[in-house]
Amino acid sequence: MTHVRHRQTTHFTVVGNHLAQHPTLSSTAIGIAVRIQSLPDGTRVGIGALAERLPESEYKIAAALKELEAAGYLRRSRERAAGQRIVTRTTYYECPDTERRPERPARPARPARPGHRTQPTHSTHPQPVDNPAPRTHPPAAPPTPTPSPPASPPPPSRERTPAADLLAGLRRSDARLALSVREITQLTPAVETWLARGVPAEQVSRTLTATLPGGIIVRASALLAHRLTEWLPPVLPPAPPAKAAAPPPAPFQECPHCERVFRSPSPGRCRDCRTPAGTEGHSGTAPGCT
């Protein structure tokens, strides 16, 4: 490596090798330290102010400031300013004393007079940088009130289905079959398929709870999903056409002539009494009467 050196007469900052070649500080912390050292007194060097000037994120800048504070290059204290405001005062040390003991937090000082600059008394090379409150902007005009859109109705609650109730009630038969809401939602379509094929809900419950393995069931939902898939009954074939019903028998009738009982759709005489006289002998009992 060869240096091409130029003599700087203006706009330069002297940085010691103890910072440029620091063995533990990260490159981000060293770069932010050089940036702070090159700024004039009174410049805002908070995390938000540095994030506006540097490409690093606020998270990286906050971590780098903590490194510099731990290494003795930076000290931050909170003080009360005019108007009961709390500001953070940052003091940067060009030549930090690594053995300097942490100082006790100073009591809130009175607000300084305008144009008066305070200097720390514990080092010959400090550059106090005040970090006042965020910049104020002129008050913006109040926004024009706009009619708020009508509130959307809440989503309808999911109705309970017979299949979901069947799965939720399995734990009554066996506590190991306690299912979560998500598992019930996943298994509900399979149970609805069983019910759509004409299987009663009681038979589906018996199929899922019968002959369970002993011991702890690690994944009850997987066991039930296997049974619902592998033991699914086929679709019922179409029912055969119904046969025509036989006509009912004729009612009983009583013959008014011989007082015998016979079957006939309408009242009247029996067959023998309707036979012409003289065809068959009549001995008081008609052979055709029952």
Side-chain angles (χ1 to χ4, degrees), residues 79-100:
E79 298 181 1
R80 187 180 300 276
Q84 302 298 322
R85 294 184 301 110
I86 301 298
V87 298
T88 301
R89 181 173 297 277
T90 303
T91 304
Y92 179 80
Y93 299 89
E94 293 184 358
C95 297
D97 183 6
T98 56
E99 298 181 356
R100 183 174 58 251

Side-chain angles (χ1 to χ4, degrees), residues 224-239:
L224 298 178
H226 175 78
R227 292 191 173 190
L228 290 172
T229 304
E230 299 297 330
W231 298 358
L232 179 65
V235 181
L236 287 176

Side-chain angles (χ1 to χ4, degrees), residues 9 15 68 74 93 151 156 167 184 222 235 246 258 271:
T9 57
V15 179
L68 295 174
L74 203 68
Y93 299 89
L167 292 169
I184 291 177
V235 181
C258 61
R271 183 183 58 184

Side-chain angles (χ1 to χ4, degrees), residues 12-180:
F12 66 91
T13 301
V14 179
V15 179
N17 286 337
H18 56 84
L19 174 62
Q21 300 179 7
H22 200 283
T24 59
L25 288 178
S26 63
S27 300
T28 303
I30 295 175
I32 291 179
V34 175
R35 173 61 69 94
I36 294 176
Q37 187 171 337
S38 65
L39 297 174
D41 294 355
T43 306
R44 297 175 60 243
V45 290
I47 297 175
L50 291 175
E52 295 177 358
R53 301 185 181 95
L54 301 176
E56 284 76 13
S57 63
E58 293 187 358
Y59 176 80
K60 288 186 177 181
I61 293 175
L65 293 179
K66 288 183 179 180
E67 291 185 44
L68 295 174
E69 193 170 7
Y73 286 91
L74 203 68
R75 184 171 65 86
R76 291 177 289 184
S77 60
R78 299 178 65 83
E79 298 181 1
R80 187 180 300 276
Q84 302 298 322
R85 294 184 301 110
I86 301 298
V87 298
T88 301
R89 181 173 297 277
T90 303
T91 304
Y92 179 80
Y93 299 89
E94 293 184 358
C95 297
D97 183 6
T98 56
E99 298 181 356
R100 183 174 58 251
R101 298 179 181 178
E103 300 179 359
R104 296 182 180 179
R107 295 182 179 179
R110 295 182 179 179
R113 296 190 301 272
H116 178 71
R117 181 179 299 175
T118 58
Q119 296 291 340
T121 58
H122 50 273
S123 176
T124 58
H125 300 281
Q127 292 184 0
V129 180
D130 192 6
N131 187 12
R135 292 174 294 180
T136 59
H137 300 277
T144 304
T146 57
S148 59
S152 58
S157 59
R158 184 175 182 179
E159 298 181 358
R160 298 175 57 182
T161 60
D165 291 342
L166 186 149
L167 292 169
L170 294 179
R171 60 183 179 182
R172 296 174 181 171
S173 302
D174 196 319
R176 297 175 299 173
L177 299 180
L179 303 174
S180 64

Side-chain angles (χ1 to χ4, degrees), residues 200-244:
E202 295 78 6
Q203 182 176 348
V204 178
S205 180
R206 287 195 300 269
T207 303
L208 297 178
T209 58
T211 62
L212 292 174
I216 299 175
I217 300 178
V218 180
R219 294 188 59 191
S221 60
L223 172 63
L224 298 178
H226 175 78
R227 292 191 173 190
L228 290 172
T229 304
E230 299 297 330
W231 298 358
L232 179 65
V235 181
L236 287 176
K243 296 181 180 180

